[in-house]
Amino acid sequence: MNIIEAIPEGGIGAVILSILLLLGCAVAFGRLFSLIKMPVVVGQIIGGLVLGPTVLGGAFPALYDKVFFSFPGQGQALSVIYWLGLIYLMFSSGYEVKFDGFKNDRKIIAVLCVGATAIPFAAGYFLSEHFFLPHYTGANGGRLAFTIVFCIAIAVTSLPVISKIFMDLGLMESRFAKIVLATAAVQDLFLWILLSVATAIALNNQISVLGIAWHFIVTVALFVIIVFVPRLVKRPINPEKICGVDNFAFILCFTCIAVGTVFQVNIMYSAFLAGLLFKNMVSRNLSAETAKKIKDVFSAFFIPVYFAIVGFRINLDASFSVKVFLMFLLIAFVLEIAGCFIAMLSIRKGFWTSLNLGIAMNARGGPGIVLASVTFEMGIINYEFFCALILTTLISSAFAGYWIDFINRRGKLLAAE
């Protein structure tokens, strides 16, 4: 039976209606949150939450079932949109990464990367062993896979969200913003590699140490090839002469995913590498208007719906523990800030500079959502911990935006040292 035969008459209309509602709420709440100087991604997730079992399902269960579960395959149809949104989000994230233009602050960036990653990782390993394992692991969440995910969740920073915060506040060209963005780019790349390894472990329960090492080497090798090989080509590709910029972006994205599948590299990381490859291969031939058009293709539909579906899946009335959420929120905040603070003090940076960098690196945004949704889908974490990660991401992103705005008005982002 093919997919068209599996959808009953009128089913397509029901799918389109549910997608329309998710997109409408994502756009409306995203716009509302933007007006009150909060990250758009937070609003998009809240929009999905309103349509989900927490609000609409709790108040009008019959209407909720009729709209979103009118036939058995409707959830699977929405799942396809969900995964496409995730793919395009990661492609856009890879396209946004910048590794140049930070020569004057390389020492600060290097030290901050260590502080924002190594210290939270070390403390996170201890805490996951003593407080979270095995209570919050999923069906495929072995000790090692869960521990890696737990540590990533503490250290992850959202490059798109923190970039949007700086853009909205007019700080994009400031030294503080460049330090944070460069650190987030390097740190998130490292964390995506680790997440790819964690998902490989989850998919292969009997994977050996040699197998883990091999997967790590392959994952890093793909990154090196994609980042550095195109730079050897003197003439970047002009996609307009091949099939058009939009078509080329789609073809390249899905080709990278297909190649990654052969080497058991997860879809999310492959899409991220595709964005990097597209940037290295063709960006020098693109005008700013064309580059913006490419991002708009993804951000107009798939990405907002993806975030709305993430919010839609949250049920704060079932399998949700306020205690677990507050405990993880406190752990994540304190460890990330402490790691950045200690790192900056080690090179004699001031109190306010150290604190502000720590809070900025706490904005988990899109990557935090991706981490939670992917690892929950793969059974590495359970539903209770999934909800805790999502809510921690929302609060950390909102708080970072408000704090940077507040402290910038007082002229203490990079305090005199």
Side-chain angles (χ1 to χ4, degrees), residues 21-345:
L21 290 173
L22 288 166
L23 178 61
C25 277
V27 172
F29 279 86
R31 178 61 177 165
L32 174 62
F33 275 60
S34 178
L35 292 174
I36 60 176
K37 304 297 182 182
M38 290 184 67
V40 172
V41 62
V42 176
Q44 292 171 343
I45 293 172
I46 296 299
L49 182 68
V50 169
L51 291 175
T54 301
V55 180
L56 180 62
F60 306 99
L63 177 62
Y64 168 76
D65 289 336
K66 184 174 182 180
V67 171
F68 293 102
F69 302 99
S70 61
F71 66 96
Q74 188 169 352
Q76 294 177 340
L78 291 177
S79 181
V80 173
I81 303 298
Y82 166 89
W83 279 104
L84 287 174
L86 173 59
I87 288 170
Y88 298 144
L89 173 64
M90 295 309 301
F91 181 90
S92 299
S93 297
Y95 184 78
E96 292 287 344
V97 170
K98 297 179 181 179
F99 294 107
D100 50 7
F102 309 103
K103 295 180 180 179
N104 296 331
D105 290 307
R106 284 179 177 174
K107 180 180 178 181
I108 296 178
I109 293 168
V111 174
L112 186 59
C113 276
V114 173
T117 309
I119 294 176
F121 250 75
Y125 176 81
F126 171 81
L127 291 170
S128 67
E129 287 285 320
H130 290 80
F131 295 100
F132 288 87
L133 277 170
H135 308 293
Y136 307 108
T137 57
N140 300 321
R143 180 180 297 272
L144 181 57
F146 179 85
T147 300
I148 292 174
V149 169
F150 183 88
C151 294
I152 293 174
I154 292 174
V156 69
T157 304
S158 172
L159 191 61
V161 166
I162 198 66
S163 297
K164 186 65 166 61
I165 289 171
F166 288 137
M167 195 178 300
D168 291 342
L169 298 177
L171 297 171
M172 202 62 179
E173 298 303 318
S174 68
R175 185 185 173 205
F176 181 86
K178 290 180 178 180
I179 290 172
V180 171
L181 294 177
T183 305
V186 176
Q187 182 201 51
D188 280 0
L189 172 63
F190 173 72
L191 297 180
W192 291 136
I193 292 173
L194 285 180
L195 180 56
S196 182
V197 173
T199 55
I201 295 171
L203 289 173
N204 303 277
N205 292 325
Q206 304 299 321
I207 191 169
S208 63
V209 174
L210 183 61
I212 294 173
W214 169 250
H215 186 83
F216 184 83
I217 292 171
V218 169
T219 305
V220 174
L222 287 175
F223 165 75
V224 172
I225 292 170
I226 283 175
V227 170
F228 293 105
V229 169
R231 297 188 179 187
L232 301 177
V233 181
K234 294 183 179 180
R235 284 189 172 185
I237 295 174
N238 186 350
E240 290 288 3
K241 295 181 178 180
I242 303 175
C243 58
V245 177
D246 294 346
N247 288 335
F248 187 83
F250 281 106
I251 292 171
L252 183 65
C253 181
F254 288 112
T255 299
C256 285
I257 290 173
V259 172
T261 301
V262 173
F263 293 98
Q264 293 188 319
V265 175
N266 67 39
I267 290 176
M268 173 210 65
Y269 184 67
S270 297
F272 178 81
L273 292 181
L276 277 175
L277 182 59
F278 184 80
K279 181 184 183 69
N280 290 334
M281 289 176 65
V282 307
S283 62
R284 286 173 287 174
N285 275 344
L286 300 181
S287 65
E289 182 179 348
T290 303
K292 183 178 182 300
K293 179 183 175 183
I294 294 171
K295 290 185 286 186
D296 288 345
V297 169
F298 298 141
S299 60
F301 175 72
F302 287 104
I303 294 176
V305 172
Y306 163 74
F307 284 125
I309 293 176
V310 170
F312 176 82
R313 297 170 64 182
I314 298 174
N315 186 355
L316 299 183
D317 294 330
S319 300
F320 174 71
S321 170
V322 175
K323 178 182 176 182
V324 173
F325 158 59
L326 292 177
M327 182 167 61
F328 182 77
L329 175 67
L330 180 63
I331 288 172
F333 255 80
V334 170
L335 289 182
E336 185 72 1
I337 291 176
C340 296
F341 201 92
I342 293 170
M344 289 298 96
L345 290 183

